[in-house]
Structures are given as C-alpha cells and as structure tokens.
Amino acid sequence: MEEDDQQKAADLVHELVLRLLSQNPQTPNPDPNSPTFLKTLRYTFRILRSRLTPSVSPDATAIAESLKRRLATQGNSSDALAFADLYTKFASKTGPGSVNNKWSLVYLLKIVSEDRKSAVNGLDSSLLLPNLRIGESASSLGHKKKEWSNGVLLVSKDPENLRDVAFREYASLVKEESEVTEEVLVRDVLYACQGIDGKYVKFSSEIDGYSVVDYVKVPRATRTMVRMLSELGWLFRKVKTFISESMDRFPAEDVGTVGQAFCAALQDELSDYYKLLAVLEAQAMNPIPLVSESASSSHYLSLRRLSVWFAEPMVKMRLMAVLVDKCKVLRGGAMAGAIHLHAQHGDPLVHEFMMNLLRCVCSPLFEMVRSWVLEGELEDTFGEFFVVGQPVKVDLLWREGYKLHPGMLPSFISPSLAQRILRTGKSINFLRVCCDDHGWADAASQAADASGTTTRRGGLGYGETDALEHLVTEAAKRIDKHLLDVLYKRYKFKEHCLAIKRYLLLGQGDFVQYLMDIVGPKLSEPANNISSFELAGFLEAAIRASNAQYDDRDMLDRLRVKMMPHGSGDRGWDVFSLEYEARAPLDTVFTESVLSKYLRVFNFLWKLKRVEHALIGIWKTMKPNCITSNSFVKLQASVKLQLLSALRRCQVLWNEMNHFVTNFQYYIMFEVLEVSWCNFSKEMEAAKDLDDLLAAHEKYLNSIVGKSLLGEQSQTIRKSLFVLFELILRFRSHADRLYEGIYELQIRTKEPGRERKKTQESSSWISEGRKAITQRAGEFLQSMSQDMDSIAKEYTTSLDAFLSLLPLQQSVDLKFLFFRLDFTEFYSRLHSKGKES
C-alpha cells in the first residue's frame, strides 16, 4: 500500500473511532487530542495490526447457506429468499468495482447481525473488547444503556477469541523479553537431542548436560524447558558413547556376543529415534496450516509441542541409559539377567520395549543353550555361557570337565534347569569322547521333535522359557537313557561291579580260600624276597582251580597283583593286595580315589581272612594232638597235669577268638557287603542318569567303608580291632610252638631207652635222659602256660575295650554286632566284675 493509501486508511480509522466515542453518553463531544481518545485510537490500530482470524473455514458459499437456513428456521421464508437472490447477484458480480474478498464481507455481515441481536438481549459487548471503554468508571459498567450498540467492533461471538488475544499478547511480551526466537531454540534443542551443540544450546561439563548459554537473554521458564528437553540429548549421548566404545573394543572378551547383541538392539532403537528426529526437523521448517490465507503463522514446532513429542522417546532413552550404566561391567548371562530384571514392569510401553530388547540380547545365549543341549558343542568364545569347560583327562571329563558358572546364570533360568542343561551336554560329550558312541544324535533329534522345536539355529528365544524347559527335559531323558544303555550293555557296568565284589571284596569264597592256601607260606617271607611275578602265577592258579575260571575273560584279565610300598622289616602279608584295572569309560566311576577305597577295604578283608585262616590252621594242629594225648602214660603226673592244663587253656582261648572272628566276619560279609550290594543293585536299576549312578555307587562304597570301621570317625575302634587281630596271630605262633614241642615230646617218649652218644645237639632236651626230658617238659609247659595266660589277659582287655566302643558308633548295624558278640551277656558281666574289683 502506498503512503497516500495508508494515510487515507488512518484517517478513516480516526473518524470511525471519533464517531463511536461520540455515541457514548459519557463522552458526547470527545476531544481528538485527549489522552483517552489517543489511547483508544492506539488500541484500535493494535487490533487492526493483530490480524485476528475467525475460527471458521473461509468458505463464502457455506456461510451464505448457513444464514439462509437460519432465516428459514426462524420463519422468515421471504427474507431467506430475498437473501438468496441478493447473494447470487453479489457473488456473480466481477470486474472493476466488485469486492475481492467476498467471504470476509459476508462473515462481517453475519457478525453484525449477531451483535445486534445480542445487544437487544442485553449482552454487553464491552466484555469482549473492554479496552474500548477506557473512559467509563467502574460504577457505570453496571448501568449499561440498551440503546448503545457498538457491534461493528465485535470480532466474534466465540469467547475463545479472548484467549487467542491474550496468548498473542503474551507472545509479544515474550518476544520483547527474549533475544532468541523460539524457532531457533527448537532447532538447537533438536541438535542437542542428536548430541550436537547448537548455536545457543550447548553441552556444559560443569552441569553435565545441555543448556542455553548464559550470555543469551531468555526467560527463566524457557531456559528451564530447554534444559528439560535437552535431557534427551544427554541420555542419547550416554547410550551412543557406550555403543561406540563397546563396538570399538569388540572382539574383546569383556564385550562378547551378548554385549554385541545388546549394542545392536540399542542401535535399532536409536534408528527409530533418528527417524523421529528427522520428522520433527521437517515439521520445524513448516508453518502451522491456517484456515485463512491472509493470516500469518509461526512455525509448527514449539518447545511445548516438543515436550509432547519427546514423552515416549524420553521413557525409552532413560531405560536405555539405565541399562547402559548397569551393563558396563557385565557380560554374557550376567548382562542378560540384569536386563531381565528391568523387564518386570507394569507399564505396557516399558514391558513391550524391554521384551523386544531382550529378544535381541538373549539370542546368542539361547543359541548356546540349543547347541549345548542338542549337539554338545560349547560355542562360547568369550566366556559368556553359564557352562564352563576346561581341558582334563578322559577319566575326569564327567566330574571336572564341565562346571556351572553361577555368575553367568541369568535370572530367568532356574538353577535346577541349569543343572539339567549342564548334565545333558555333558552326557553328549561323554558318549562322544569316552564311549566313542554317536547314537546320541538320534536321541537329540527325537527330543527336538517331541518338544516341537527345531534343531536349526534360532529355534529358541527369550520369552519361551516353557519351550526351553520342555526341550531340555526331553533331551535329558532320551540322552541319559541312551548313556545308561551304553554303559550297561556295551561296557557291562553291572558285571564289572559284580566282579569287583567277588575278587576285591572277597565274595568268591573258593577262589579266596585257595589263594590264601597257596600264597600263605610265601607271604610269611620278607617282602623284599617276594616276586610279584610269582604272586601273579599264584593268582592265575587260584583262578583256574576255582569257579572263577568260568567268568568273563576280559574281567579276569583286569584282576592283578599289586605290591604296595614296603620297608625292610615288612612281610608279604603287609604288602600283598589285588587291584582291578578300570578302563574308559568305566574309569569315570572307578576313579583312582574310588579304587583306593576298594584297596583299603580289600586290605581289611584280607587281614580278616588271614586271622580266620590262622584260627583254622590252629584247629588243624590241635585236633590230632588231642586224640593222641592219652599216649603220655610214661610222663609224671605233674607234667601230665601241666600238659592237659595248657591244652585246655589253648582250646578255651581258641574258642573265644573263633567266636569273635566268626561273628565279626559274618557281620562284614552279610550285614555289610551283601546288604550294601542289594541296595546298590536297586538304586542302579532306578538310576535315570550318570549322576544318579555315580551317587548310588558312592553311597554303596561309603556304606561299606563306614560299616567296616574304616571311616575317619572309627579310628579308635579300628585300632582296637587291629590289636585283637595281632593277638590272634600271636596266639597262632604260640600254639604252633606248643604243639611242635608236644609233637617232639611224643616222639621222644616212644624211643627205646638205649645209650645215646653225644652229638652236636647234646644241649637239646630231646637228647637227654627221661629225667631231663621230664624236667624240660615241665619247664616248657610252664613257660607256654604263662605266655597263654598273658595273651588271654591282653585279649580279654582288648576285647572289652572293643565291645565298649561298639555302642558308641553311629551305625545301627554295629550295635547289632555287639549283641551278636555278647548275646549271653558273658562279657558284660565280666566287665562289671572287673569294675567292682
């Protein structure tokens, strides 16, 4: 508009305001130079410059139709027809002198008519434009004259125009207080959300966040809002830094595949975040679409609109920042477990976000589980899996080859499920390495089919814990059953256990008796003079001479003689033992520690058999001499009495020792070995996996060791028992001396009483005369009686100590042994008399 036109418009506005104020009864003749008039004129220009726009669509035809319908509904049909005819002529007129903005004129007429109607009804239009009544007093506002109408200045009957005006006034005020426009701050906030410093919004290390620079003047509320919105950039910066540092370190062990998957999941979320920022940047460059072409508009995005847009990304970014802080020092299963704890959330948005994140993070972990359970492969280059393998010998593969790493066990996998996962993979490796068997592959395929999963990669994922547990259960059941079948049928585990019971635990009676008979004389020699090859020949002879010859040859070949380390004073009885060679895969059950326990049990049983064999040998010596004892008719009565007393004492002591050894051996062979074997056989049949079988065998062996007084808690009573064994062996040597002397005395008394020449043995009591023989016999028998009394006394004391310790043992069977040894309460009464005396 040119200057003349502008001046002309200003004059018209001046005249309009003057006429309107002159209609006010308060100011009938307004002064154009008065402050009231000038203030009203300024406000009028401010309204005209404000470019207020109506809240309806700029459609002239629609407004005309609306007016025509309103006239028709009010009963003014003729006015409606007249209005329609006039509007048709008005709309069709074009060219010079016509109105260009027809819609605005029709809308103005509508507002004027509505203002007149509201003025008739008593509506005070000054409530809509209060600044036009500057000259009125407060009291005059309540006494409005109905005849005064200034409806031309009523912009809209919609009261929301008041709020629009107030907002625009506030916007103008903010612009006056701010050196930076909101559009620029919005742009800088979008930059900050990408981790980039803007022109006015920059990252400050002092406050550790983004904020508006101090030298720029902005309202405090705006500065606070920028700081709140820029928090998203600070969170983004933390997440982005974590991803960059982790990917730069990969393939370091502290990152691993799970950490890489976590970074990939975060990067996917950041990709969606980038898309949102791209949309917002595009929106920030576009103005707000308005209904009026003549109205002006600011940009679409404001700080408040950004706060709405950033609500959901802020929640996700905060979650990712929390996870980044939590997982900085974690890896593998520990990282997955820490992320899983944050998935237990009631907010559906958070829960869904965490589920998507965990599906990506846990993918490598579940792939490791699938590979381990179905293939026995430990694909864990970076040590992230909760199953850890280590190089060991073949016989230690099951016990020490694979262990659980509790620190890498995620919380969504229970310890019991983890144990089954560990055992299933161990079973496959045990079959493949130790048993040289490949039948587990069919069992794994059947397990996958039964559980409804696939053997290919990616068949399992997070959230499918039930499917994982079903797969592990099916795989464990089939693979463990196949493993036990291989041990029982192919490697004859049960038969080997029975062979050990027969030969190492001396259950094969005829074999043990024959072996004792043929090796007894040899074992009485010094250990240094005994050859292990000679003993091996005795062992082979005992096998051929007993029913052991009909056993499996492979098992007999495993039975060997073992000479334990010995010193110069040891005898063959102290170092002789048998051992059973365990080969793979049986060496997993019969380890070195297990075989050492069997060796301890064998040595104990062998010592018991030696004592029994000694008592049998005494009986064989005693029986013919007792029958021929009536041949000593030529001896003096005193010597006969000493002889009979010695023989009786020997017989009584033998009976006591035989009673003890017989009952103790019965207890060991039947109440210990046979009962333990029976229980072991039942548990062996009920075993579902190799761990159950190992536990059953360990229980079986520990039961034998404990009940046989070989445990650590039985050291005192075991020492007392070995003292009894030594006394019995001493008694055997004294009994042999006694009967050898009696035998020589019998021979000497039967010889004719002719003169004998002195020989080298002149000092022997056999070569002397009858008187000397009688004297020497009396001295010999007296000496033997004293020795027998000494042994008997020591035996009674030691037996009493042994019996007193039996009730103190934990095993109930040992208490029954006490009852068997003292069923007549003879020793109890003897013990009571000893205390009284």
Side-chain angles (χ1 to χ4, degrees), residues 621-637:
T621 305
M622 288 169 56
K623 188 174 182 181
N625 284 279
C626 291
I627 295 175
T628 58
S629 61
N630 57 359
S631 62
F632 304 140
V633 292
K634 297 180 181 181
L635 295 176
Q636 294 181 359

Side-chain angles (χ1 to χ4, degrees), residues 578-727:
L578 295 180
E579 64 177 356
Y580 195 85
E581 182 186 6
R583 302 166 189 165
L586 299 181
D587 53 358
T588 301
V589 181
F590 304 116
T591 60
E592 293 182 1
S593 61
V594 170
L595 292 178
S596 66
K597 287 185 179 181
Y598 275 118
L599 181 61
R600 289 175 57 196
V601 176
F602 171 81
N603 291 332
F604 173 74
L605 296 178
W606 184 252
K607 185 172 291 188
L608 180 59
K609 283 290 183 182
R610 179 190 176 189
V611 171
E612 180 196 20
H613 190 264
L615 289 176
I616 294 176
I618 296 174
W619 173 252
K620 291 179 179 179
T621 305
M622 288 169 56
K623 188 174 182 181
N625 284 279
C626 291
I627 295 175
T628 58
S629 61
N630 57 359
S631 62
F632 304 140
V633 292
K634 297 180 181 181
L635 295 176
Q636 294 181 359
S638 60
V639 177
K640 284 184 183 181
L641 185 60
Q642 288 181 344
L643 178 60
L644 293 176
S645 176
L647 292 176
R648 179 175 177 81
R649 188 59 176 156
C650 184
Q651 183 72 35
V652 171
L653 189 55
W654 181 88
N655 285 332
E656 288 187 21
M657 293 179 174
N658 185 65
H659 168 73
F660 171 76
V661 171
T662 301
N663 283 279
F664 189 78
Q665 188 178 27
Y666 173 87
Y667 161 75
I668 293 295
M669 300 306 296
F670 294 98
E671 297 186 15
V672 175
L673 297 180
E674 290 299 330
V675 172
S676 298
W677 173 259
C678 182
N679 294 334
F680 175 53
S681 299
K682 293 179 181 178
E683 294 179 0
M684 194 164 25
E685 293 295 335
K688 296 181 180 179
D689 51 65
L690 186 54
D691 282 333
D692 291 347
L693 186 63
L694 292 174
H697 182 264
E698 185 177 4
K699 180 181 177 182
Y700 162 69
L701 190 54
N702 290 337
S703 174
I704 293 175
V705 171
K707 292 180 180 180
S708 299
L709 306 178
L710 298 176
E712 295 181 358
Q713 299 177 351
S714 304
Q715 291 182 2
T716 304
I717 192 172
R718 184 169 67 250
K719 291 179 181 178
S720 179
L721 178 63
F722 288 166
V723 169
L724 290 173
F725 287 171
E726 293 297 330
L727 288 173

